[in-house]
Amino acid sequence: MNWYPWLNEAYRQLISAYQAGRGHHALLIHSMKGNGADALSYGISRWLICQNRDGLKSCGECHSCRLMLAGTHPDYHVLEVEKGKATISVDAVRKLTETLSGHAQQSGAKVVSIPNAQALTDAAANALLKTLEEPSSQTYFLLGCEKIESMLATLRSRCLTHFLPSPDQQVALYWLQKQLTGLSVDDAITALRLCQGAPIAALQLLEPAQWQRRQLLCSELESSLQNKDFLRLLPALNTDNAPECISWLLGLLSDGIKLQQKAGQFLVNQDKIACVTALATSMSSSQLLDVYSQWQGCRHQLLTVPALNQELILANQLLHWEALFASPSR
């Protein structure tokens, strides 16, 4: 698993606590997706399970380290959402707790990683509580979550929560530009802001196919404004990941509102100033707010209501925008 430089301080802080005997047996790492929480959790797991630790580092040479590197350590357990499902079931937790009741096969620590703890059903979370309250000797739980409020409160209360923030923008920019040769500062800043500062998520967004989809959407939006033909946006929006495309559109609309309010220094889409300016100058504040609210509702509907006719919903939304754009209040 890759390691990221902005994790060093959090890793040092957490491992030092374990060295001093203050480390909690149940650690909950709260972080936005794309900040490297999984890598941090894995690094801590390797240290906990290492049989010959070298200060803050795992040795990388002992039998446990070799098993971890091979992905075959019998005392390292990962509890994840099964393929084709959206949650972690109570049966999966019961199977895990039964396994943990035995002795460690390598006579060291037992480590459980639950990278998406918010996916635990209430029944699964409750089944995990007793084990968290009374773990066997040298048994550690490393949980991860993005939306801490969606976790069962009783489960959260049994854990020590560590918040992993997005790194400083300059650190993230430097890292991104090392990953992608020739990356412009405007593109890098835009990608980071679209991903709330999470560098790994920004790197994924900057992958050519994904970035080109966003570029196409912005280009079609400019043409739509110029030609007063918003249906031409339909192919750019009606994709396998329409909610993400709508999120890009919402970001542009939000920037248009900021520009109208003389808050241009807070624009997210630094690489698309011309498109944002076109929005701000071609529509009134009330129209932009109306369109923004409607696209928010459209995105929520696509994410939460199953078996919808996505193309029909998007087309209807675009026609409404076109009618609003042509209204006298503009």
Side-chain angles (χ1 to χ4, degrees):
M1 184 174 288
N2 292 331
W3 185 256
Y4 307 101
W6 59 87
L7 299 178
N8 291 339
E9 181 56 34
Y11 176 83
R12 189 179 301 112
Q13 179 184 343
L14 292 167
I15 295 299
S16 294
Y18 284 112
Q19 285 180 316
R22 294 181 285 102
H24 203 280
H25 70 276
L27 178 65
L28 173 61
I29 300 175
H30 175 211
S31 183
M32 188 179 302
K33 183 179 181 181
N35 278 332
D38 288 356
L40 177 61
S41 176
Y42 179 70
I44 295 169
S45 298
R46 284 192 56 186
W47 187 88
L48 288 170
I49 220 161
C50 176
Q51 296 171 334
N52 187 26
R53 298 163 185 160
D54 181 16
L56 293 172
K57 300 179 180 178
S58 52
C59 72
E61 298 294 334
C62 69
H63 186 54
S64 280
C65 282
R66 292 182 182 275
L67 288 172
M68 284 291 285
L69 290 169
T72 56
H73 200 297
D75 299 318
Y76 178 61
H77 310 278
V78 181
L79 189 60
E80 293 183 294
V81 177
E82 295 178 24
K83 188 175 181 180
K85 296 184 178 180
T87 58
I88 299 173
S89 69
V90 64
D91 290 337
V93 172
R94 286 172 178 161
K95 184 177 179 181
L96 170 68
T97 53
E98 184 178 341
T99 302
L100 294 175
S101 64
H103 294 291
Q105 295 188 39
Q106 294 299 309
S107 302
K110 291 179 283 186
V111 179
V112 177
S113 173
I114 311 178
N116 187 15
Q118 65 201 40
L120 290 161
T121 64
D122 286 354
N126 282 316
L128 189 61
L129 283 177
K130 184 173 177 58
T131 306
L132 283 179
E133 289 172 345
E134 302 173 8
S136 55
S137 178
Q138 291 197 76
T139 300
Y140 300 92
F141 293 84
L142 298 175
L143 291 75
C145 75
E146 296 172 37
K147 298 178 180 178
I148 198 166
E149 68 279 0
S150 65
M151 285 182 60
L152 201 66
T154 48
L155 182 63
R156 296 201 311 266
S157 69
R158 268 61 169 190
C159 303
L160 174 68
T161 301
H162 180 89
F163 176 65
L164 178 67
S166 298
D168 181 80
Q169 181 174 283
Q170 290 306 312
V171 172
L173 277 175
Y174 178 75
W175 180 80
L176 275 177
Q177 290 178 315
K178 285 192 71 175
Q179 309 307 307
L180 296 172
T181 305
L183 177 65
S184 73
V185 174
D186 282 347
D187 282 0
I189 290 176
T190 298
L192 282 169
R193 291 184 178 180
L194 285 169
C195 298
Q196 291 75 53
I200 303 165
L203 181 63
Q204 293 169 348
L205 175 57
L206 286 164
E207 290 178 358
Q210 185 78 332
W211 197 243
Q212 285 167 15
R213 278 194 286 272
R214 176 181 168 273
Q215 300 290 73
L216 174 64
L217 176 66
C218 295
S219 175
E220 290 299 297
L221 176 56
E222 285 191 74
S223 297
S224 294
L225 290 167
Q226 184 177 359
N227 299 312
K228 303 179 183 179
D229 176 17
F230 286 87
L231 273 179
R232 67 181 300 152
L233 270 171
L234 185 59
L237 288 169
N238 189 30
T239 66
D240 291 338
N241 201 355
E244 183 173 27
C245 294
I246 295 174
S247 293
W248 297 336
L249 182 57
L250 286 168
L252 292 162
L253 290 165
S254 176
D255 277 353
I257 296 168
K258 293 173 191 174
L259 207 58
Q260 287 182 341
Q261 300 300 319
K262 312 300 182 186
Q265 68 271 32
F266 300 112
L267 297 186
V268 169
N269 297 275
Q270 293 289 319
D271 63 332
K272 295 296 175 187
I273 300 298
C275 183
V276 171
T277 302
L279 276 168
T281 56
S282 62
M283 300 182 71
S284 68
S285 296
S286 61
Q287 285 176 324
L288 278 176
L289 287 168
D290 189 5
V291 171
Y292 184 90
S293 176
Q294 289 181 15
W295 278 111
Q296 269 191 319
C298 179
R299 182 178 182 276
H300 179 73
Q301 193 176 23
L302 290 176
L303 285 170
T304 58
V305 183
L308 291 175
N309 186 325
Q310 176 176 288
E311 184 175 9
L312 184 61
I313 288 173
L314 291 171
N316 182 65
Q317 188 64 46
L318 289 168
L319 287 171
H320 180 86
W321 190 357
E322 190 169 306
L324 185 67
F325 186 77
S327 66
S329 62
R330 183 169 63 84

